Amino acid sequence: MSGRTAGLTSAYQGGRILFCEANVSIARRLAGGGVMLGVLAVLGGCQAWSPAPEGLDVERVEKSFVEGDCPAGRCATIEIESLRLPGALGLSERLRDALLSMGSGITNGESEVVAASWEEYAQTFFDEAKAARKRVPELPGYQAVFKAEVYDRHADLTTIKLDSYVFTGGAHGMPLTQFMVIDERERRVVTLDDMLREGQTSAYRKALSRAHLRWLEEQQAGADFVESWPLSMNRNVAPFADEWRVRYNAYDIAPYSYGQPELRIPAQALEGIVKPRYLER
C-alpha cells in the first residue's frame, strides 16, 4: 500500500518562531507503538512516519518552534509529534486541543483560555520565557515537548496516548499523560462513563483499589508511604484486550521519583462492570 509524504519548512515572522512540519498521509490502520517521552533536541529536519495496518487514515504532523532574540543556550523550544485523522476532522481537532490544554495553565497565567493553535501557544510560551529571564537572567531555557501516538488498537477501539513534558525552571519539568479512546464504529471519543455499565462506578473503584494494592506490593511500599500517598479516583483509562491500564500523573499517588504510575486491571475483573462492547477482544 502506498502513501503520500510532503515536507514543509517555513518561518513564523510575528515572533521569529521557526518551525518544521512533516505530513505523512497513510491509508492504513492505526497500530500501537511505544515511544518513550523525553526531552528532545530541536529538529533539524522532517522525520519519516512508518505505516500501520489498513483502516482509519492517519496523518503524522511534526513541528519545531525555537524562540528568537534569546541568549545562546537559554532559548525556549517546543517540539510536537502529533497526529491528524483526515477522515475525522472533529477527532483531529479534539486531539490537538487536548494536547494544547496539557501545556496550558503554565503559560496562560490567570487566563484559563487554551491556545487555538500551536503558533499561538508558542508565542505565549516564549513571552513567558522572556519575562522569566528578566527576573532570573541565568534561568535555563523553557522547554515543552508534546507527543501523540497510537497506544493500542483492537476490536475497532483505538487508544491514542497523549504525552506532554513542560519545563519552566526548577529541579525538573512536569510530565502529563492522557488517553484518548476512539470507538471506530461510531467515530467518537468514549470516556470511562461511556464504558461503564450504569451504576457500576463504585465497583470500578473497588477493582482499581485491588490493582493499587498489587502495585504497592510490587513497590514494596511501607505503611508510611500508603498513608502519605492514598489512592485517588482516576478516569484516565486505556482499554486493552486483556487488561485496562489506568495511568496516574506525577504526584497523584506517589512522589515524582516514581514517575507516572500505571495500574492494571485484568479484563476478567471488569466483567459485569464494563459494557460488553469495551471488553471485546
Side-chain angles (χ1 to χ4, degrees):
M1 183 170 291
S2 61
R4 176 178 57 82
T5 303
L8 171 66
T9 302
S10 185
Y12 178 65
Q13 299 296 333
R16 293 186 59 201
I17 300 172
L18 308 177
F19 69 92
C20 169
E21 177 174 356
N23 296 334
V24 182
S25 181
I26 306 164
R28 295 196 172 191
R29 177 71 65 183
L30 288 171
V35 179
M36 207 169 178
L37 178 66
V39 178
L40 303 180
V42 178
L43 290 177
C46 300
Q47 300 178 358
W49 171 241
S50 300
E54 193 169 1
L56 186 66
D57 288 356
V58 61
E59 186 175 83
R60 188 72 177 179
V61 178
E62 299 183 358
K63 293 187 177 185
S64 176
F65 297 85
V66 183
E67 180 189 8
D69 298 324
C70 50
R74 294 203 296 277
C75 296
T77 62
I78 301 172
E79 300 292 340
I80 302 132
E81 296 181 15
S82 189
L83 300 171
R84 290 195 193 102
L85 307 177
L89 179 60
L91 293 177
S92 295
E93 292 177 347
R94 184 160 178 173
L95 189 159
R96 180 204 61 202
D97 291 347
L99 272 180
L100 281 166
S101 69
M102 290 169 71
S104 299
I106 296 173
T107 62
N108 287 341
E110 296 180 359
S111 173
E112 296 182 358
V113 177
V114 176
S117 68
W118 287 114
E119 287 75 15
E120 181 181 329
Y121 176 85
Q123 187 61 69
T124 303
F125 190 74
F126 294 162
D127 288 346
E128 290 288 335
K130 283 181 170 62
R133 280 199 307 273
K134 288 183 179 179
R135 298 189 298 268
V136 185
E138 66 276 12
L139 187 72
Y142 276 21
Q143 194 166 38
V145 182
F146 299 90
K147 286 177 179 284
E149 61 178 306
V150 179
Y151 195 45
D152 178 72
R153 186 188 179 279
H154 74 281
D156 296 328
L157 289 175
T158 294
T159 299
I160 297 176
K161 183 161 72 78
L162 308 177
D163 287 312
S164 69
Y165 177 89
V166 178
F167 174 78
T168 55
H172 52 70
M174 180 58 67
L176 294 175
T177 296
Q178 179 180 325
F179 296 130
M180 179 176 171
V181 183
I182 300 173
D183 188 330
E184 290 188 38
R185 297 174 191 173
E186 300 181 8
R187 291 297 177 98
R188 71 183 183 102
V189 174
V190 292
T191 65
L192 175 65
D193 289 338
D194 294 322
M195 294 186 279
L196 291 179
R197 290 175 180 265
E198 186 175 355
Q200 292 300 312
T201 301
S202 178
Y204 166 76
R205 287 175 182 264
K206 291 178 181 178
L208 183 64
S209 180
R210 290 191 290 270
H212 182 232
L213 290 174
R214 290 191 295 271
W215 182 81
L216 290 172
E217 291 176 358
E218 292 170 359
Q219 307 305 314
Q220 299 181 343
D224 290 345
F225 183 100
V226 175
E227 183 178 353
S228 300
W229 299 96
L231 180 67
S232 58
M233 177 62 170
N234 192 322
R235 299 175 179 275
N236 190 34
V237 300
F240 279 65
D242 57 344
E243 65 183 6
W244 274 26
R245 301 182 184 181
V246 186
R247 178 71 65 90
Y248 285 82
N249 287 311
Y251 296 118
D252 282 348
I253 61 172
Y256 185 90
S257 59
Y258 281 72
Q260 296 172 272
E262 190 169 80
L263 308 186
R264 301 191 175 195
I265 307 174
Q268 59 266 29
L270 293 167
E271 292 179 1
I273 299 174
V274 173
K275 295 172 184 175
R277 164 72 184 100
Y278 304 107
L279 291 177
E280 293 181 19
R281 294 177 180 271

